[in-house]
Amino acid sequence: MNYNETERRGRRLMLLLLGLNLLLRAMPVVNVLRSSLRDTYPAGTLPLVYAGLAVGLLPTAVELWALYRGSWPALALLCISVFIGAGDVVGLFQFGGAAAMSSYAMLSLMVLLGRGVLLAAIFRQEEVNCWWNLQRLRRKRWHLVLEIVLYVLASAASGWFGHLA
């Protein structure tokens, strides 16, 4: 088995899945931008609104970056988000019935499927699993501290900009 080629293929597939998850997470932001945003806000505040929407993606980006670096806490966050998302989608369709078929419900389902595929790839796909385990073994203790600090800062910035917008 050639570990260099396996690691390279796993890295490419992992980057592809992480990019897909970030794109799926950004879809509600794109949906808001596509709506009548220009009519709602004055022209001078639009850059602030756009920045606030982009900053809202920072915690997800930090979580996916930490997962790319082989972080167990990021994997735990991913598992928790998949279980919570599955419960939310089941509850939405159980109590909403046919009226639950909205663009928000479909976007939530797409995000859940993207995160589930990423989780399955980390545990079950040979190349991604090999690459992720090698990344995990290369980690130092200060990497976790850096990831926690960045996640807290991204969450604070997201909350602050979300409060302004």
Side-chain angles (χ1 to χ4, degrees):
M1 173 178 240
N2 186 356
Y3 282 105
N4 289 335
E5 184 60 33
T6 302
E7 184 179 359
R8 195 176 358 230
R9 282 194 310 253
R11 179 178 178 266
R12 282 192 301 252
L13 184 57
M14 182 76 158
L15 282 172
L16 180 70
L17 289 173
L18 291 172
L20 175 69
N21 273 282
L22 190 61
L23 179 69
L24 287 174
R25 182 65 176 95
M27 290 303 289
V29 174
V30 171
N31 206 11
V32 166
L33 291 176
R34 205 179 62 185
S35 69
S36 62
L37 190 63
R38 289 188 170 88
D39 299 334
T40 308
Y41 295 99
T45 61
L46 278 178
L48 183 63
V49 172
Y50 292 149
L53 292 173
V55 168
L57 293 174
L58 279 179
T60 301
V62 170
E63 177 188 343
L64 294 176
W65 173 73
L67 193 62
Y68 173 75
R69 295 173 48 87
S71 174
W72 277 105
L75 183 64
L77 279 176
L78 180 68
C79 290
I80 290 168
S81 70
V82 167
F83 286 124
I84 289 174
D88 289 346
V89 168
V90 167
L92 181 70
F93 287 125
Q94 180 182 6
F95 297 115
M101 298 300 258
S102 66
S103 63
Y104 173 75
M106 293 302 112
L107 283 174
S108 298
L109 187 60
M110 285 174 36
V111 168
L112 176 64
L113 287 174
R115 287 183 172 245
V117 167
L118 178 61
L119 190 63
I122 290 173
F123 285 120
R124 300 294 297 170
Q125 212 278 334
E126 182 182 348
E127 286 93 3
V128 173
N129 190 357
C130 175
W131 184 81
W132 195 81
N133 282 324
L134 287 172
Q135 282 295 104
R136 187 180 52 81
L137 292 173
R138 292 178 186 138
R139 290 176 56 83
K140 306 281 188 266
R141 185 175 307 271
W142 65 271
H143 292 159
L144 178 61
V145 174
L146 175 68
E147 291 161 358
I148 289 172
V149 167
L150 285 176
Y151 187 77
V152 167
L153 289 175
S155 296
S158 175
W160 187 70
F161 267 105
H163 178 63
L164 288 178

